[in-house]
Amino acid sequence: MLRGIDPILSPDLLHALAAMGHGDEIVIADANFPGTSMGRLLIRADGVTASAMLRAVLSLMPLDTFVDDPAVTMQVVGDPDAVPEAVRDFQAIVNEVADAPATLAGIERHAFYDRAKAAFAVIQTGETRLYGNIILKKGVIGP
Amino acid sequence: MLRGIDPILSPDLLHALAAMGHGDEIVIADANFPGTSMGRLLIRADGVTASAMLRAVLSLMPLDTFVDDPAVTMQVVGDPDAVPEAVRDFQAIVNEVADAPATLAGIERHAFYDRAKAAFAVIQTGETRLYGNIILKKGVIGP
Amino acid sequence: MLRGIDPILSPDLLHALAAMGHGDEIVIADANFPGTSMGRLLIRADGVTASAMLRAVLSLMPLDTFVDDPAVTMQVVGDPDAVPEAVRDFQAIVNEVADAPATLAGIERHAFYDRAKAAFAVIQTGETRLYGNIILKKGVIGP
Amino acid sequence: MLRGIDPILSPDLLHALAAMGHGDEIVIADANFPGTSMGRLLIRADGVTASAMLRAVLSLMPLDTFVDDPAVTMQVVGDPDAVPEAVRDFQAIVNEVADAPATLAGIERHAFYDRAKAAFAVIQTGETRLYGNIILKKGVIGP
Amino acid sequence: MLRGIDPILSPDLLHALAAMGHGDEIVIADANFPGTSMGRLLIRADGVTASAMLRAVLSLMPLDTFVDDPAVTMQVVGDPDAVPEAVRDFQAIVNEVADAPATLAGIERHAFYDRAKAAFAVIQTGETRLYGNIILKKGVIGP
Amino acid sequence: MLRGIDPILSPDLLHALAAMGHGDEIVIADANFPGTSMGRLLIRADGVTASAMLRAVLSLMPLDTFVDDPAVTMQVVGDPDAVPEAVRDFQAIVNEVADAPATLAGIERHAFYDRAKAAFAVIQTGETRLYGNIILKKGVIGP
Amino acid sequence: MLRGIDPILSPDLLHALAAMGHGDEIVIADANFPGTSMGRLLIRADGVTASAMLRAVLSLMPLDTFVDDPAVTMQVVGDPDAVPEAVRDFQAIVNEVADAPATLAGIERHAFYDRAKAAFAVIQTGETRLYGNIILKKGVIGP
Amino acid sequence: MLRGIDPILSPDLLHALAAMGHGDEIVIADANFPGTSMGRLLIRADGVTASAMLRAVLSLMPLDTFVDDPAVTMQVVGDPDAVPEAVRDFQAIVNEVADAPATLAGIERHAFYDRAKAAFAVIQTGETRLYGNIILKKGVIGP
Amino acid sequence: MLRGIDPILSPDLLHALAAMGHGDEIVIADANFPGTSMGRLLIRADGVTASAMLRAVLSLMPLDTFVDDPAVTMQVVGDPDAVPEAVRDFQAIVNEVADAPATLAGIERHAFYDRAKAAFAVIQTGETRLYGNIILKKGVIGP
Amino acid sequence: MLRGIDPILSPDLLHALAAMGHGDEIVIADANFPGTSMGRLLIRADGVTASAMLRAVLSLMPLDTFVDDPAVTMQVVGDPDAVPEAVRDFQAIVNEVADAPATLAGIERHAFYDRAKAAFAVIQTGETRLYGNIILKKGVIGP
């Protein structure tokens, strides 16, 4: 445990967040997500909700302001306009914690998979609610 | 996620529990425990309480009936007879979940450290209550 | 050995089953299958029949309900409509153990090989009956 | 699979048996044995009985004739003269298959552990009968 | 050394032969063959002739009966119809030892190289006769 | 870079600080310290002063309150009572930044080496002032 | 520390500079640069400015005289002709320290990324000024 | 040191030369050559001239007689017909030491690089003369 | 294959012989020797006799002239004065090939084992004659 | 190659010299020295004389002024007062190049070996003169 740092952030996760640079992306995935086969770097957080993880990650990581959609979620299969409960939570947490405002954008399931495969890391949480997945793009901290 | 298995048990932890044999010990440690320097095998579970972890581990692992004390906790420094809240929880969970009855036995802090160093694995939980540590000795499953 | 878990599931296999996510596939292969050269991850289970392995795997792993054919077998070379004894066994076990109904679908030998190469893991059993191979796609466990 | 070789012998096990030399020892252990923590080299054979494994190993490996006890088993705790069912099977298999006659000798549980820790390898079988453990010392094949 | 197994088969080679499955290929190469740069898995057998190695490999490994040419050799550069002394030996050994009849088929040097690069393993023998190379395709052992 | 975290803390150093537990020690060493040969885990920070590093480390890491001397420095060889400039700086930074008050204690050069060898990690800074070395013992963060 | 060598050059960086040959490129990157995901070899120098690093690198490494632009920087996004403060510093240091004259050339942000991905190494400094990135191509040292 | 073997051949280099087969190529490169980034296997020989290395390598390695140009050098950039001093030395050493006659052929700089990248190994010598690079193709040793 | 080097010396063995220095020892062991468990570095030479290996090793390696017994063999158990056929061969080969005269000295079996465990390497030959083991101590090559 | 650095210093050697700290020792050994078995870290420099290497190392590395004998050589066996030619060279080079004056001290052969085993690294040169070995202790560079 460290002073002022959310204790659900493991040493491996702190390392990844600090090693990421401008434009790198990280996936917060739910418990059913195929994180091992898709993640270039997999960080497990079984037993932690995606919401709690999002809050912890955004407390340290700036969002990218060079792009339109620095935070994207997975659309419900067959109902792309639906807003699952987990996604509603995510938007509220972004509004509350992020260093810059961002409106979540939904993308199709397999487009989400392709982007996850190219991401810097995947955090596999224990989130049991379906569609509890979000991709965040890291921004810049000025001088 | 798997059918009928507590989802806070990560793949690495399931592997360790299955690989352990008769007499091997596992430590469920709190967030302040020096698990990296002491554990021969360290399994992190940041963000999970020691109580939830104990319940999950005992749902799968039998306790050793060949010894008197298959489950031991760390005594409070300077007050060996005190029963911290976490330990009270542990006893209730053992009573409820374990395959065999067991009364928790307290041992001195550095004796606890020595035994942890020889254990099969240490699970570093996110338990923030002090003295939230317990060592369990694996038993036998009959034919 | 663990409480309530089929003891033919090795620690490595438990790890793989738990690490797999929605849409990942696992191959249960017979003793003649080229598992080492084709499997991205090979888990050996010499001396265990494919039938016993299928029963053990399905006791823990949900089948995918997002696709039409979550379980496929290899067609007999030169006689695609034949139903080998092992495959007949597989269907009976799926009917009995799986969390969701599924009718086995046969695919051509080299199509089976291509899919096996992309699978999460191959379990090389000691099944000596020919055509004792099956691919399973993992499903989702709801909240 | 190979011509004339028992198919329960995995590639790793064949490698170990061939790499062993005069005086090296191998442990065939039951499903409750702490093989991971004690074995310098662990070879898993979940789902295979210790009896079938003993038969397979002795079909390839000569027993040492330079010592009195080339095959030893673990005494029942608290009843050193008891002969468990598994051990009775072992003696019958040695009589039938080994290249040299040998009478099994029992040693105390912790003495068995110490010898297992120094052995070349431990084979962790799925033997569910208690005391299904045996240590074999490899002999010489003449010119 | 093991009972009934040709002692020129090293532990690594036994491992490879047992790990190979239906359709996998192995190359027995002469001392001048570029085995390190071409072999996905290289097994050295310096000091052993290709003929002795072929005899040992075929004593354990079945040949594939699903294809026309389960055993191929390298044609002499500039004289594709020539039959080098080593190849003549190979045919005699196949006739004597293999589990199924097979007529050796010659292929052009660089076609041989391409096939060797895709093989499961290359055994680099100490064969000093030129063109002492052969590729074998593993077959099936029935129930 | 992360929000609110001193940017001189590298990903590896953040990882180590988070992985340390109660009682683990870390060494901040100067540029002449034999950190590679003495450190169980070496983290380089060439070009950073020991003072800046001490300030950054203490901003995240609690000091141990279970012991008398949670922070120790190396005595000048031949003049144990001298207070080098770097050590004077260290005391001021501890006073300003640490979560608990601590008076630096000097120990003899080779005693310092022995303790450094047992520490969790050594940070090799670019501090060019002699005797710019300090050992810190990590404390506990309460619930 | 070594005689006559700038102490901010770590052992890993000295190794890389010496291992580079004619035409190899090295990137000096600022603190926001995605060095871990882009660098084939990443060398961290947290806490060091890009200017100090450039001075140290050029004190040892010759610039390539076979090409027109042996040193390139990243253009400001949306304002390619701007000259950021860091770049102005870089030109002054090149003028002062390099073994051969060179005028810095700006390239577009993603072209810079592509070239960084192909470089021999990326040095991730703690430079907090934006656009504090430069690529250097190593030259030849004559006999 | 070994009897009758040139002592400038290191153990790693002896290993590579012996592991190479018919048609494999090795590069003897000068001190400015980008051997680390281009060599699939890099063997350093700092402090040794390319001429001395060529003499040592040819004392053990046969040249390929199946191709026209078993030994090639790099043409001077902008003056392809020039014969640098190092190349003149190389031809004299080939004439004196090689097992088969060979006339050195020059190829363009980047063609040389492409071939070096595909070679079995690159020996990075300390040759300070420019254009001190040569590629050798290994031949066959007859029975 | 290399010019003038016995082709039974594999690349790994050439590497070891060249890497050994004054006073280092190498064991040439027969097929029954426990080389894997005793050798710090094991080099297999299945299918090669110990006699042929001794001849090849001595063709390159000088014997130590600083000690009385640079070459020792294993005494027959129970008959220390016997001279097995393999040992008789060894003496003849030493007389013929070694760079310095040496009379083989026999030592007791377990003393031989202890010395083998400390040796630089063990060469496991396919020698099927019993007591076909010898230890050689490397000497110096003068300027 | 780097500006102003002796080109016989390889990247690995530069790394070691920079990583060493106050009191660490490095061995410059001749071609017959058992460097692989004795060196904790071995750096080969075949083909380079010990004298040239000593000159290059001392050009970068300060000698320790806290001890009486920062540079020691090996006494001639049986003639401890002899001064071999190589040692005479060493003293001259130390006098010329070192940052601090030092008189070489001879120690007995096996004492030299013990100290070499504890050293930071051993540089195995191609020095063919006997007794061409020297141990150097690194000193401090002041602020």
Side-chain angles (χ1 to χ4, degrees), chain A residues 101-136:
Chain A
T103 302
L104 301 191
I107 59 175
E108 190 271 337
R109 180 186 172 203
H110 289 94
F112 191 96
Y113 283 167
D114 287 344
R115 200 151 154 186
K117 286 177 191 165
F120 189 96
V122 172
I123 308 171
Q124 184 113 41
T125 71
E127 177 64 61
T128 55
R129 293 178 299 181
L130 302 187
Y131 295 101
N133 306 296
I134 187 169
I135 298 175
L136 305 171

Side-chain angles (χ1 to χ4, degrees), chain D residues 1-5 9-20 58-62 97-99 138-143, chain E residues 1-5 9-20 58-62 97-99 138-143:
Chain D
M1 294 222 287
L2 294 173
R3 300 170 66 187
I5 295 198
L9 296 168
S10 68
D12 284 354
L13 183 42
L14 272 177
H15 189 284
L17 292 173
M20 290 170 63
L58 287 178
S59 71
L60 290 182
M61 196 185 90
V97 184
D99 69 321
K138 189 175 181 181
V140 163
I141 290 186
Chain E
M1 294 220 288
L2 294 173
R3 297 170 66 187
I5 295 197
L9 296 169
S10 69
D12 284 353
L13 183 43
L14 273 177
H15 189 282
L17 291 172
M20 289 169 65
L58 287 178
S59 72
L60 291 183
M61 194 185 90
V97 184
D99 70 322
K138 189 176 181 181
V140 164
I141 290 185

Side-chain angles (χ1 to χ4, degrees), chain A residues 1-3 5 11-12 14-15 17-19 58-61 97-99 138 141, chain F residues 1-3 5 11-12 14-15 17-19 58-61 97-99 138 141:
Chain A
M1 295 221 288
L2 295 173
R3 300 170 65 187
I5 295 198
D12 285 352
L14 273 177
H15 188 283
L17 292 173
L58 287 178
S59 71
L60 291 182
M61 195 185 91
V97 185
D99 69 323
K138 189 174 181 180
I141 290 185
Chain F
M1 294 221 289
L2 295 173
R3 299 170 65 187
I5 295 199
D12 284 353
L14 272 178
H15 189 284
L17 291 173
L58 287 178
S59 71
L60 291 183
M61 195 185 90
V97 184
D99 69 323
K138 189 176 181 180
I141 290 186

